[in-house]
Amino acid sequence: MDDKRLNELLKWSIEQSDATRNDPDAPAPTTQLTPELMASLMGGPSDADLMKASMDIITSDDAEQVSLDDKLIAFDNFEQLIEGLDNANNIANLSLWTPLLDQLKHDEREMRKMAAWCVGTAVQNNERTQERLLAMGGLPLLVNLATQEDEHNDVRRKAVYALSSAVRNYQPAMDLFADELAKRGHKTDKVDATSMEAVDEVVNGLREKIGKA
């Protein structure tokens, strides 16, 4: 357990002790019993452990032990974990970007959809993860999913969601997004990534094409 969490747990324990509770001059408790502290108190796994365990299930090749439903449940758990900024940033520290992006090429439609969903969650309002996605080559994969006419529409929509999150307020990703669209016949002028109206115009254009498919 890291020192910060240990100190918080110790402080919480002192605040909850009978001696403190019975002392009228004791200050009011200030430490919240967060899920992380509870996990430490109970000896449970950390979020990082849960993220790695989820990805182990997602990438498992053991079809007899791990079903598609198991993988989708693990994906759902992973998505909930990375809603937190620290956990999203930790994807890189845990070397989970590569296996996550690999799922965008999975044979199963639901796996591709969940992968795109997780990417979108991870990069939302987070320049650090936007940069990682760009560096790991995730943008072309998402553009490919979003623009493939023979791809399932629900997968394409999740890819557009991920792209929308990936490019907002991050110009390098927006520039590559426009370039990748142009390669696929979707000519796009240079777009200011800080202009939500301009980004929406490009993103909504993709959504409209999916709606007509």
Side-chain angles (χ1 to χ4, degrees):
M1 189 188 308
D2 60 67
D3 290 342
K4 181 180 178 182
R5 193 179 299 178
L6 182 60
N7 288 336
E8 289 177 348
L9 184 57
L10 179 59
K11 184 179 178 183
W12 178 84
S13 300
I14 293 171
E15 289 174 346
Q16 301 304 315
S17 68
D18 288 340
T20 301
R21 285 180 171 180
N22 295 330
D23 182 356
D25 296 322
T30 59
T31 306
Q32 298 295 318
L33 187 58
T34 64
E36 281 192 341
L37 280 183
M38 180 61 81
S40 300
L41 186 63
M42 303 301 293
S46 66
D47 281 0
D49 292 331
L50 293 172
M51 288 168 65
K52 289 188 289 185
S54 294
M55 191 57 69
D56 285 343
I57 294 172
I58 290 166
T59 58
S60 174
D61 292 327
D62 190 345
E64 292 186 3
Q65 295 294 323
V66 181
S67 68
L68 176 59
D69 282 345
D70 292 333
K71 289 174 179 280
L72 295 176
I73 290 170
F75 243 141
D76 189 56
N77 291 336
F78 187 80
E79 194 275 334
Q80 291 182 54
L81 284 164
I82 61 173
E83 286 177 354
L85 187 68
D86 289 341
N87 286 343
N89 290 335
N90 217 16
I91 296 174
N93 299 331
L94 298 173
S95 300
L96 298 180
W97 271 113
T98 295
L100 174 58
L101 294 177
D102 282 346
Q103 304 312 304
L104 294 172
K105 299 174 283 186
H106 201 282
D107 291 339
E108 289 286 348
R109 152 194 182 182
E110 289 296 320
M111 294 291 285
R112 297 193 299 275
K113 183 176 80 170
M114 288 301 298
W117 188 3
C118 285
V119 171
T121 298
V123 300
Q124 197 165 43
N125 301 315
N126 188 338
E127 185 172 335
R128 183 171 165 184
T129 50
Q130 287 174 316
E131 185 278 329
R132 280 291 83 205
L133 176 65
L134 182 66
M136 297 298 292
L139 260 295
L141 294 174
L142 290 167
V143 174
N144 191 52
L145 280 183
T147 57
Q148 272 190 332
E149 293 185 357
D150 59 349
E151 179 58 88
H152 295 276
N153 282 354
D154 56 344
V155 179
R156 294 178 69 184
R157 290 189 188 97
K158 285 301 181 187
V160 172
Y161 157 70
L163 288 164
S164 177
S165 297
V167 303
R168 291 181 189 275
N169 292 308
Y170 188 55
Q171 196 63 49
M174 185 67 244
D175 291 343
L176 181 60
F177 181 29
D179 289 345
E180 290 294 325
L181 285 176
K183 289 178 185 177
R184 292 163 175 78
H186 302 266
K187 182 170 175 54
T188 304
D189 295 330
K190 185 172 178 63
V191 177
D192 180 359
T194 64
S195 169
M196 296 303 98
E197 183 177 339
V199 174
D200 282 342
E201 185 176 345
V202 177
V203 170
N204 290 336
L206 275 180
R207 289 195 177 112
E208 288 174 8
K209 286 183 172 66
I210 294 170
K212 295 176 182 177

